[in-house]
Amino acid sequence: GEGEEEEELRDEKSHLKDEEEKFAVKSSSSTANKRSKSNTKEEEENDLTAKATAQNNNNKSNNNVNALEKCTKLLNTERYKRTVGEVTLKKEDSKDEEEEAENNTTNLYALILDCNALTVDIDDTIVFVHNYIKDKYKKKFPELESLVPHPIDYARVVQKIANEMDIMRVDLESVLPSATIMVVTVTGSTTDGKELSDADLDLTLEACERLLKLDDDKTKLFKFVEKNMEKTAPNLSQVLGTDVAARVMGLAGGLELLSKMPSNVVQNIGNGKKKNTAGSSLQVLQKSGDVNVGFIFQCDLIQKKTPPPLRVKAVRLIAGKCTLMARVDAFGQDPTGETGKKMYADIEQKIEKWQEPPPARTEKPLPAPGMIQKKRRGGKRMRAMKERYGMSDMRKQANRVGFNVAEDEIGYEGEGLGLLGKSAGAAAANGKLRFQEKKTKIGKYAQKGYKGGMGSGLATSDALSGMSSSLAFTPIQGIELVNPNAEKESRDSQSGTDSVFNDKRGFFATQNIKK
């Protein structure tokens, strides 16, 4: 019985071992399957990320290319190609003076307007491309944009340096001055920039080439306009210069539209961008020319012959004269440009006159002692006295003598009549010459005395009228000669001591005094 039990135990143990081995095989196979599955998933994920990164890189490169194309889309326009092509043809063909004279037609005027408008668009495009280059190249040399602010110089320096880390090996003498070269090399040796990728470097160099091409075409257009502006607007070119006149005329839309503009509008042509005042006062900025300035501010009369405090005043003066010169050129009154030369000389003379110091104050010498005249009192009384004692028109004529004419005399003493003559004296004698007598004003006290009979020296109640007569009519004797002043004399001769019943004393009316 014991042997059977041991055999059974051995069988069970062997069976358990077999099951454990089977389970181990199954578990190992499952882990292997799991590992293989995880590896495949990781590989798939890696493939997907690689594809995504490649696609992102392609998208980025495409976006960069698209951004560059958007910045330089002006180069591919038909207007740009046509205008630049016509300018190059005109420059090549017009070598003789006769051909140049034939080209001075309406087509030439339209081409000049197109060139002016295109130069403005080229300036804007250069700004966009410059910003694009700075964004790309700041990874390599971030300090360069502050050291070289000019767009054209910046593009040329980027072309020279490219992806070179040691700037000491780069030759910049043909691009920058010596002082700027030293600063750029010292800063470039200590910069934290990194090398650009091949794609970014290619795009950056392509942008630099396009920017330089835009600048070359711009200079070509400017030369053409400056050469032909003396034919289209000679007087305006004499005042402003050919380059500034071309810009003003182009932005105004032509010579005729410019001639119709007022001077305050012409003054602000080209003042499209507002500048940062940076805390400065408006008056200081206007004097320095930082705000409210247009293309006229860039002419030689302002920049070379006018000090900064007088530039705003000079711009107003030149703007008014430019409007006049544009009208002269629009109607073709002076194709020689002599009017513009005279106007330029007048403006220059006025600016020089403004700069002259004020005249010195002259000290008057002291008057001689005793010769100081007293000040006359003015006012109503003085005017009345002057009118009362003033010279009459008749006396003025009597004091004047005619040229080469004998003077008439009157009276025994031979008083001269002047321009009056004997005819005037006869007219005065016959009453034909009338004189206007001025009425004298009577004071208040004199008026009261006149009314009340009080003696004021001017009038009394005893004054006789002009109608009084010394003849009296009586029923008994008829006409009697009577002295009208006899009663007054007798009354005055009586004294107060005479009796009331005196023969010489008459009867007087008495006035009852009311209590």
Side-chain angles (χ1 to χ4, degrees):
E2 293 179 357
E4 293 178 357
E5 290 179 355
E6 290 178 356
E7 290 179 358
E8 289 178 359
L9 290 172
R10 290 175 182 173
D11 294 336
E12 288 179 358
K13 287 180 179 179
S14 62
H15 181 69
L16 290 173
K17 288 181 179 180
D18 294 337
E19 288 182 355
E20 288 178 356
E21 290 176 358
K22 290 180 181 180
F23 182 75
V25 170
K26 288 181 180 180
S27 61
S28 62
S29 63
S30 63
T31 53
N33 292 329
K34 287 181 179 179
R35 287 177 181 175
S36 63
K37 287 180 180 180
S38 63
N39 291 329
T40 54
K41 287 182 179 179
E42 289 178 357
E43 289 177 357
E44 290 177 357
E45 289 178 356
N46 292 328
D47 293 336
L48 291 174
T49 53
K51 289 180 181 179
T53 53
Q55 188 175 1
N56 290 329
N57 292 328
N58 292 327
N59 291 330
K60 286 181 179 179
S61 61
N62 292 328
N63 291 331
N64 292 330
V65 172
N66 293 330
L68 181 59
E69 293 295 334
K70 287 181 181 179
C71 291
T72 60
K73 63 181 180 180
L74 182 65
L75 290 169
N76 299 323
T77 57
E78 184 180 356
R79 180 171 69 95
Y80 183 87
K81 295 178 181 178
R82 176 178 53 82
T83 306
V84 175
E86 289 181 359
V87 169
T88 52
L89 289 175
K90 292 281 185 181
K91 187 177 180 181
E92 292 176 358
D93 295 339
S94 60
K95 294 181 180 179
D96 299 332
E97 295 182 356
E98 297 179 356
E99 294 180 356
E100 290 181 0
E102 292 177 357
N103 289 329
N104 192 8
T105 57
T106 56
N107 295 328
L108 181 61
Y109 178 70
L111 182 59
I112 288 174
L113 294 181
D114 293 339
C115 291
N116 292 328
L118 188 59
T119 51
V120 177
D121 296 337
I122 289 175
D123 289 333
D124 297 336
T125 307
I126 287 174
V127 173
F128 295 150
V129 179
H130 182 218
N131 292 329
Y132 178 83
I133 297 171
K134 288 192 297 184
D135 292 337
K136 289 293 180 183
Y137 204 70
K138 66 182 179 181
K139 299 177 183 178
K140 170 69 174 60
F141 197 171
E143 297 88 1
L144 184 61
E145 58 181 311
S146 61
L147 299 176
V148 186
H150 195 271
I152 309 303
D153 294 338
Y154 186 84
R156 289 173 180 169
V157 171
V158 170
Q159 280 185 339
K160 290 284 186 180
I161 298 175
N163 224 0
E164 181 67 35
M165 296 303 295
D166 190 5
I167 302 179
M168 296 294 292
R169 299 178 181 178
V170 181
D171 186 13
L172 299 175
E173 292 182 357
S174 61
V175 180
L176 297 176
S178 58
T180 310
I181 290 172
M182 182 177 64
V183 176
V184 170
T185 52
V186 172
T187 309
S189 61
T190 59
T191 185
D192 297 332
K194 298 179 181 180
E195 292 185 357
L196 297 176
S197 61
D198 294 337
D200 291 340
L201 183 61
D202 294 338
L203 289 173
T204 305
L205 296 177
E206 180 66 23
C208 292
E209 290 179 0
R210 294 187 182 185
L211 189 143
L212 295 176
K213 184 179 184 304
L214 287 169
D215 184 65
D216 292 338
D217 293 340
K218 177 185 173 183
T219 54
K220 190 186 299 182
L221 294 176
F222 266 129
K223 289 181 180 179
F224 175 76
V225 171
E226 290 176 4
K227 184 179 180 181
N228 295 278
M229 270 299 293
E230 295 181 354
K231 301 176 183 178
T232 56
N235 297 286
L236 185 64
S237 300
Q238 290 291 336
V239 176
L240 291 179
T242 54
D243 53 347
V244 179
R247 292 182 184 181
V248 172
M249 191 177 70
L251 202 59
L255 194 59
E256 294 182 359
L257 293 176
L258 180 63
S259 64
K260 296 177 182 178
M261 290 182 180
S263 61
N264 57 348
V265 178
V266 176
Q267 176 184 347
N268 293 320
I269 289 178
N271 185 21
K273 298 179 181 179
K274 295 183 179 179
K275 296 184 179 180
N276 188 12
T277 57
S280 300
S281 63
L282 183 62
Q283 186 177 5
V284 174
L285 292 172
Q286 283 181 348
K287 287 184 178 180
S288 61
D290 288 337
V291 293
N292 295 332
V293 294
F295 290 144
I296 296 178
F297 197 83
Q298 301 173 6
C299 68
D300 293 338
L301 279 172
I302 301 296
Q303 297 296 328
K304 296 182 180 180
K305 299 186 178 181
T306 307
L310 298 174
R311 285 181 179 177
V312 176
K313 186 177 180 180
V315 165
R316 294 173 186 162
L317 174 65
I318 295 172
K321 303 303 181 184
C322 288
T323 305
L324 298 177
M325 294 300 99
R327 292 169 185 172
V328 172
D329 292 331
F331 291 98
Q333 295 180 355
D334 187 10
T336 60
E338 292 296 329
T339 306
K341 291 180 181 178
K342 293 179 182 178
M343 191 64 69
Y344 183 88
D346 293 341
I347 295 171
E348 189 177 5
Q349 186 177 2
K350 285 185 179 180
I351 293 173
E352 291 177 356
K353 188 70 175 177
W354 294 343
Q355 301 178 35
E356 292 180 358
R361 187 176 180 180
T362 57
E363 295 182 359
K364 295 182 179 179
L366 294 174
M371 298 296 292
I372 301 175
Q373 295 182 357
K374 294 182 179 180
K375 293 183 179 180
R376 295 282 185 179
R377 182 182 180 275
K380 197 172 183 181
R381 292 183 183 177
M382 181 58 65
R383 289 196 300 270
M385 187 185 72
K386 287 181 180 180
E387 291 178 358
R388 192 178 304 120
Y389 295 103
M391 186 175 292
S392 62
D393 294 337
M394 186 173 179
R395 176 56 62 185
K396 289 180 181 179
Q397 294 292 329
N399 290 338
R400 294 179 181 177
V401 179
F403 180 74
N404 200 14
V405 177
E407 183 182 9
D408 296 334
E409 296 179 355
I410 189 171
Y412 294 105
E413 297 179 356
E415 183 180 358
L417 294 177
L419 295 179
L420 290 177
K422 292 181 179 179
S423 59
N430 296 330
K432 294 181 181 180
L433 186 63
R434 297 181 180 181
F435 302 99
Q436 186 177 1
E437 184 180 358
K438 296 180 181 179
K439 297 180 180 180
T440 57
K441 293 183 180 180
I442 303 174
K444 295 181 180 179
Y445 296 104
Q447 290 179 4
K448 288 181 181 179
Y450 179 76
K451 291 179 181 179
M454 301 297 293
S456 63
L458 295 176
T460 59
S461 61
D462 295 334
L464 299 176
S465 64
M467 300 300 293
S468 62
S469 176
S470 59
L471 296 176
F473 294 91
T474 59
I476 301 173
Q477 295 179 357
I479 298 173
E480 181 181 1
L481 185 61
V482 180
N483 186 6
N485 296 327
E487 184 180 357
K488 179 182 177 183
E489 292 175 357
S490 63
R491 189 189 306 167
D492 296 336
S493 62
Q494 294 176 2
S495 63
T497 59
D498 293 338
S499 175
V500 178
F501 300 98
N502 190 0
D503 295 337
K504 296 181 179 179
R505 195 173 185 88
F507 293 94
F508 297 94
T510 60
Q511 184 178 4
N512 295 326
I513 301 172
K514 296 181 180 181
K515 294 183 181 179

